[in-house]
Amino acid sequence: MEPCSSLVMARPGPNGSKNRDSGTLTSSQQRAIFAIARRRRLDPNSVVQERFHLSRVEDLSIRQASELIDAMKNMAEVRS
């Protein structure tokens, strides 16, 4: 799957909630990315740059962060 390099501003939905696909990652996602990267001895910002062509973890959208967490978890399972 090709990573999405453009970020779109989140528009509130009918109930005022933001679209999950846009907006920035949640603090829980950020903590998970750093924790998994630490366990795998990876530089999380380098992984983000390679995979999504973004400078920092903090620049990820909610969807991108979710994809990265899943990929890193799968990597951990394969290497364990």
Side-chain angles (χ1 to χ4, degrees):
M1 177 181 278
E2 284 291 318
C4 178
S5 62
S6 62
L7 296 176
V8 178
M9 296 299 293
R11 291 187 188 154
N15 63 0
S17 64
K18 288 187 177 181
N19 183 341
R20 278 184 42 99
D21 296 341
S22 54
T24 56
L25 77 165
T26 67
S27 58
S28 295
Q29 287 177 311
Q30 185 174 351
R31 285 191 305 271
I33 290 168
F34 281 99
I36 295 166
R38 187 173 43 253
R39 285 194 302 267
R40 300 308 315 146
R41 295 186 178 121
L42 298 169
D43 175 15
N45 290 316
S46 293
V47 174
V48 166
Q49 189 170 21
E50 281 181 31
R51 187 174 179 100
F52 298 101
H53 307 289
L54 297 170
S55 300
R56 318 171 297 147
V57 170
E58 294 83 359
D59 296 331
L60 292 170
S61 70
I62 292 171
R63 173 173 273 180
Q64 289 169 324
S66 180
E67 289 174 14
L68 181 59
I69 290 166
D70 289 344
M72 292 172 77
K73 282 182 178 178
N74 290 336
M75 180 189 304
E77 292 172 8
V78 170
R79 290 186 178 182
S80 295

